Amino acid sequence: MLSCMTSEPEHRHGAGVPDAFQRLWTPHRMAYVQGENKPTGPGAGDGCPFCAIPAESDEDGLVINRGEHVYAVLNLYPYNSGHLMVVPYRHVADYTELDAAETLELAELTKRAMAALRNASGAHGFNIGMNQGAVAGAGIAAHLHQHVVPRWGGDVNFMPVVGHTKVLPQLLADTRKLLADAWPR
Ligand SMILES: [Zn+2]
């Protein structure tokens, strides 16, 4: 079903090959952290980054907005500039485990994230969704997270395009502030 979200050809990184499906949903690219930064186990005490982030400052954690049950945070390895995630505070793996209040706020923050991205960057479209389970490509399978990936025609926008695996801390810090300022009140 995900193929319908990524059917348009892309030509972003020079090859000119319409491999958007591969590019967007391969596990390594959607992972929040990679390699040695991954959790050591499925529990909340096993180094889960999504459990640790809320204790950090907005700036250090790249947190864009904090709700009562759910928060929004930039992805360290973005598919596109502005790629963020909406994450419950509670360490929950499966979408069916969310309670009603978490489900509602996850949906509400997803809508506000779209509005913020439109306000800040004029995003033309979005890919929104969750990878449920490692087999489906979830980088941190033990703690669910909803990806919100802004899309532009040709994926050219006012923010410099981020390389697939490079992390540019200053760019991420600037992007976080832009989106936090553009977040609907
Ligand atoms: Zn967690």
Side-chain angles (χ1 to χ4, degrees):
M1 69 165 278
L2 293 175
S3 60
C4 64
M5 300 165 69
T6 56
S7 57
E8 79 275 25
E10 296 186 303
H11 307 282
R12 185 147 64 87
H13 284 276
V17 180
D19 60 344
F21 182 90
Q22 290 277 334
R23 187 175 293 151
L24 187 53
W25 296 108
T26 42
H28 71 275
R29 202 155 287 137
M30 300 303 278
Y32 183 70
V33 294
Q34 297 175 315
E36 70 274 18
N37 293 325
K38 279 204 170 199
T40 55
D46 296 327
C48 174
F50 295 131
C51 285
I53 286 168
E56 299 185 30
S57 68
D58 287 357
E59 289 74 17
D60 289 344
L62 296 175
V63 175
I64 299 162
N65 187 264
R66 298 173 192 255
E68 189 179 342
H69 307 287
V70 171
Y71 67 99
V73 60
L74 273 188
N75 193 306
L76 274 179
Y77 298 94
Y79 168 72
N80 236 353
S81 299
H83 176 179
L84 62 83
M85 295 168 297
V86 180
V87 189
Y89 295 117
R90 197 159 61 90
H91 187 83
V92 168
D94 199 276
Y95 186 52
T96 62
E97 297 174 58
L98 290 183
D99 66 25
E102 290 165 335
T103 303
L104 183 64
E105 199 174 45
L106 187 91
E108 185 58 41
L109 257 66
T110 299
K111 292 198 285 186
R112 291 186 197 178
M114 291 176 64
L117 285 161
R118 285 201 176 107
N119 289 343
S121 68
H124 298 149
F126 299 91
N127 294 111
I128 294 172
M130 286 177 249
N131 297 326
Q132 287 279 275
V135 70
I140 307 294
H143 195 141
L144 77 83
H145 45 286
Q146 168 128 288
H147 294 275
V148 180
V149 182
R151 303 297 300 267
W152 296 266
D155 279 335
V156 174
N157 63 85
F158 80 101
M159 292 184 278
V161 172
V162 180
H164 283 154
T165 56
K166 288 180 184 166
V167 177
L168 302 173
Q170 190 55 51
L171 177 60
L172 289 173
D174 292 348
T175 303
R176 188 211 69 80
K177 184 168 189 331
L178 276 171
L179 292 175
D181 291 346
W183 198 266
R185 300 301 160 194

